[in-house]
Amino acid sequence: SSVSSHITTISKQKGIVYFDVSFDDKTFKVNILIININNYEDMIKFGEKLGALSFPNMVITMEGDLGAGKTTITKDFFSLEQ
């Protein structure tokens, strides 16, 4: 069987890209937040806040060069689960 997919309703507001992705008869809302973090302290705060705002089945992806801070954010993200 084949899967039919397409993207609709693309908009961008204040650094967030919103769009809908449809696979066969199901539509999913997708939001992409693009941020730049300029220092280590802000990176830690962001990781903590992201962890506090997360919910089950939430998908978070991070992209950046080696040493950009992806691991630091992830460590602070999980530090709140104790």
Side-chain angles (χ1 to χ4, degrees):
S1 73
S2 65
V3 175
S4 172
S5 65
H6 63 279
I7 297 174
T8 58
T9 319
I10 299 175
S11 66
K12 183 177 180 181
Q13 298 174 7
K14 296 183 182 179
I16 303 176
V17 179
Y18 302 92
F19 59 94
D20 297 337
V21 179
S22 298
F23 293 97
D24 289 335
D25 61 345
K26 297 180 179 128
T27 300
F28 303 91
K29 300 249 180 240
V30 178
N31 303 330
I32 299 175
L33 172 63
I34 301 170
I35 62 164
N36 291 308
I37 299 173
N38 297 315
N39 60 58
Y40 184 75
E41 291 78 20
D42 288 347
M43 191 176 308
I44 292 170
K45 290 176 189 174
F46 176 75
E48 291 171 348
K49 288 183 181 190
L50 186 62
L53 295 172
S54 66
F55 53 87
N57 299 317
M58 182 178 189
V59 175
I60 299 170
T61 64
M62 289 184 269
E63 181 179 314
D65 294 336
L66 182 65
K70 300 175 298 292
T71 302
T72 300
I73 291 172
T74 304
K75 286 179 183 177
D76 294 309
F77 177 90
F78 286 108
S79 70
L80 297 176
E81 290 196 343
Q82 299 173 356

